[in-house]
Amino acid sequence: DAGVIQSPRHEVTEMGQEVTLRCKPISGHDYLFWYRQTMMRGLELLIYFNNNVPIDDSGMPEDRFSAKMPNASFSTLKIQPSEPRDSAVYFCASSILPETQYFGPGTRLLVL
Amino acid sequence: QKEVEQNSGPLSVPEGAIASLNCTYSDRGSQSFFWYRQYSGKSPELIMFIYSNGDKEDGRFTAQLNKASQYVSLLVRDSQPSDSATYLCAVKDTYKYIFGTGTRLKVLA
């Protein structure tokens, strides 16, 4: 299996622009998680889905962030408008059981 | 505010020694406990998880859980330079996962 696939791997954008991060989970995995990692705050869970339904989005920092999972093989995390404080590494993870998450390689986002 | 606390380190140990990594958590309702390893510039990898008080062993790794003290630890036996990484502790209650900021382990050859 190819593992969790994320795109793009690196993104540099200017403040105010829309950013869309993409994730393809491992086939057959029912759970999908979006995380953000920074030096200051560590790894934070933003939102997770089970069978394409959002279960907990309490970690989404504000209305500028939105996530969708239109089908079992694709999810997006969108930031609109982006701000410099959104600069971080964004990870997607998937699992069959929530205990055994497999992380993707991450997207390094830099907002100037 | 639910919290997971880890000493940031670095924790330096000589090759072949036992490394002990510690984590405390604030929410007594926490049900599941996880240890992840993260190499610099890479994504986290699950090492093991534990639900019940006591010890759980997997190869050179042992997780220890004490719910009364709200404390979970990870022992790495026969530490190798390849074990040098940041170790993240994570805690789950009914729905929510909370991660500590990690402890950096350095194994000296």
Side-chain angles (χ1 to χ4, degrees):
Chain A
D1 200 315
V4 176
I5 298 172
Q6 291 187 247
S7 64
R9 295 292 306 277
H10 301 272
E11 176 83 17
V12 180
T13 191
E14 293 187 345
M15 182 174 62
Q17 296 298 306
E18 178 179 294
V19 174
T20 300
L21 310 181
R22 298 173 176 79
C23 176
K24 177 179 170 54
I26 295 172
S27 178
H29 283 194
D30 297 329
Y31 289 85
L32 184 137
F33 304 80
W34 281 103
Y35 291 90
R36 177 174 68 176
Q37 188 172 39
T38 62
M39 289 293 293
M40 290 298 295
R41 299 176 65 89
L43 190 65
E44 301 172 285
L45 177 65
L46 300 177
I47 184 171
Y48 76 96
F49 298 84
N50 179 215
N51 292 321
N52 312 339
V53 176
I55 301 301
D56 179 21
D57 65 353
S58 60
M60 296 287 265
E62 50 199 272
D63 292 344
R64 297 185 298 107
F65 286 70
S66 63
K68 294 182 180 180
M69 192 164 186
N71 56 62
S73 59
F74 184 65
S75 178
T76 60
L77 178 68
K78 187 174 293 186
I79 308 172
Q80 168 63 17
S82 58
E83 297 183 3
R85 59 192 168 117
D86 301 329
S87 298
V89 181
Y90 290 81
F91 289 106
C92 175
S94 73
S95 65
I96 295 176
L97 299 173
E99 288 77 8
T100 53
Q101 299 177 35
Y102 293 87
F103 281 73
T107 295
R108 294 183 179 275
L109 174 64
L110 177 62
V111 183
L112 301 174
Chain B
Q1 177 77 7
K2 300 175 182 179
E3 294 184 345
V4 176
E5 300 284 346
Q6 295 182 257
N7 188 315
S8 62
L11 173 66
S12 296
V13 299
E15 184 175 357
I18 297 175
S20 178
L21 303 158
N22 304 315
C23 173
T24 59
Y25 59 95
S26 62
D27 182 14
R28 287 194 174 272
S30 299
Q31 301 170 349
S32 311
F33 307 85
F34 307 82
W35 283 101
Y36 285 82
R37 177 177 62 196
Q38 187 174 25
Y39 293 109
S40 180
K42 301 296 185 182
S43 54
E45 304 169 272
L46 180 67
I47 298 173
M48 60 195 307
F49 58 88
I50 186 168
Y51 300 128
S52 305
N53 277 329
D55 295 0
K56 179 181 179 182
E57 187 174 313
D58 185 359
R60 295 186 296 112
F61 298 100
T62 299
Q64 299 176 315
L65 176 60
N66 184 327
K67 290 186 178 180
S69 300
Q70 296 175 237
Y71 177 95
V72 57
S73 64
L74 181 71
L75 301 179
V76 184
R77 291 185 301 281
D78 188 24
S79 296
Q80 301 298 310
S82 59
D83 295 324
S84 297
T86 296
Y87 289 76
L88 304 174
C89 172
V91 170
K92 177 180 177 289
D93 58 21
T94 305
Y95 294 112
K96 199 150 183 65
Y97 294 81
I98 303 171
F99 281 75
T101 53
T103 298
R104 192 157 63 96
L105 173 64
K106 296 177 67 175
V107 181
L108 307 173

